[in-house]
Amino acid sequence: MSASIASRRHALIASLTTVSLGALPLRSAWADAPAAVLEPAELSRIVSRLAGAPVQSIAPGPIPGLYEVVIKDNVLYIDATGEYLFDGQILQVATRQSLTEQRRQAHERAMTPEMDVAKLDLGDAIKTVYGQEKPGRFIVTFEDPQCGFCKRLHQTLQGLTDLVVYTFQVSFLGPESRRLNEVVWCSANRSASWDEVMASRVPEGSGQFCDLGALARNAKLADHYRVQGTPTIYTASGQRINGAVAAPVLLKAIEEAAQAAAPLSAPGKS
């Protein structure tokens, strides 16, 4: 589980545990009559009140009598009476697979817009050319200057040829990331400055202020495409790759996208 997913889950758990028990539709422990089965809409209202957020979806869960509830991009379970809320993984014994994680990933894919690289404004990205520019041989990345996996990706990219990389800077790791991004963006040679950052060196700043609107637009772009970790990579075909994958995996994706895109040129504005 990534840090961003874990933090969202912790926040959700905190919101659930701070709610007064008076908000729960619990029966008395000594009640003799069985609890009534509630409609999904009522179950949704119960979870929504507890978490303080709208339920994104509710459906019968993998176990009879249990409903799957997606809220704040997390998968929870509630029983049909609304008495018990379960936050955890349901594993299928035969396959040893987490049905909960499979469902969370499916929800994330369904909620994430497809990337149309042709519509990107590449004027907001750092352009780095390895070798020669060729139709379709480019990737778009979202990277944080303090991200260790981004630095690993940078090393991988230096071993490839005839590739253009458009890097959209984001500041997921706090104020220092923002400061480094500003230095790079305001430098005379952004690509060279980014190389310095990826080598864990602080680039020399120009000492002058520049228009930082691109960094704000990058943050909105990342949010739109639900980019929550770095590096996040897109090929020319819009295929999304999360993380610093090995060179053969990345190269295969690049070549497949280039073949599909030929004879198209790079997207957007440069």
Side-chain angles (χ1 to χ4, degrees):
M1 181 183 295
S2 70
S4 59
I5 295 172
S7 63
R8 293 201 311 271
R9 180 169 289 279
H10 291 160
L12 177 59
I13 293 172
S15 66
L16 292 172
T17 55
T18 54
V19 175
S20 167
L21 289 179
L24 291 167
L26 298 176
R27 292 183 299 141
S28 299
W30 53 83
D32 294 327
V37 173
L38 302 179
E39 294 294 325
E42 180 57 29
L43 296 174
S44 292
R45 284 192 286 270
I46 292 169
V47 179
S48 181
R49 286 200 304 270
L50 286 170
V55 167
Q56 293 164 293
S57 69
I58 184 168
I63 299 174
L66 206 61
Y67 280 85
E68 170 198 280
V69 183
V70 179
I71 187 167
K72 296 183 179 180
D73 294 332
N74 290 290
V75 178
L76 305 178
Y77 302 96
I78 190 169
D79 78 306
T81 68
E83 290 192 73
Y84 302 100
L85 185 66
F86 174 67
D87 174 26
Q89 302 287 314
I90 292 181
L91 304 179
Q92 190 172 47
V93 175
T95 63
R96 300 184 182 181
Q97 298 295 311
S98 169
L99 301 182
T100 306
E101 181 59 19
Q102 289 177 0
R103 182 66 187 93
R104 190 200 64 76
Q105 291 179 2
H107 167 77
E108 183 174 335
R109 287 193 297 270
M111 295 296 292
T112 302
E114 292 186 5
M115 168 74 77
D116 185 349
V117 293
K119 295 182 179 180
L120 293 176
D121 183 354
L122 299 182
D124 287 345
I126 299 170
K127 180 180 179 180
T128 303
V129 181
Y130 297 95
Q132 297 180 347
E133 295 188 49
K134 293 186 177 180
R137 286 187 65 86
F138 66 88
I139 58 174
V140 170
T141 69
F142 289 86
E143 300 183 56
D144 185 293
Q146 294 192 100
C147 164
F149 288 107
C150 298
K151 295 175 182 179
R152 183 185 300 179
L153 172 65
H154 196 70
Q155 293 175 348
T156 299
L157 293 174
Q158 291 179 326
L160 304 182
T161 57
D162 300 336
L163 178 68
V164 179
V165 180
Y166 296 98
T167 302
F168 287 90
Q169 302 163 259
V170 292
S171 304
F172 289 172
L173 298 178
E176 179 61 14
S177 292
R178 173 70 187 198
R179 187 187 72 81
L180 289 171
N181 276 333
E182 290 180 1
V183 171
V184 171
W185 190 250
C186 292
S187 65
N189 188 329
R190 292 168 181 163
S191 180
S193 293
W194 189 252
D195 283 344
E196 291 291 298
V197 167
M198 290 294 100
S200 299
R201 297 190 293 266
V202 179
E204 293 185 7
S206 64
Q208 297 180 354
F209 293 103
C210 68
D211 183 0
L212 299 173
L215 299 183
R217 291 190 293 272
N218 290 353
K220 291 182 178 179
L221 188 67
D223 183 64
H224 174 73
Y225 286 106
R226 298 170 67 88
V227 173
Q228 298 168 336
T230 53
T232 296
I233 306 165
Y234 288 91
T235 66
S237 64
Q239 177 188 352
R240 177 168 172 157
I241 302 172
N242 295 318
V245 296
V249 176
L250 181 58
L251 186 58
K252 182 175 183 292
I254 291 170
E255 291 178 344
E256 289 177 350
Q259 291 173 3
L264 297 178
S265 59
K269 305 172 186 176
S270 59

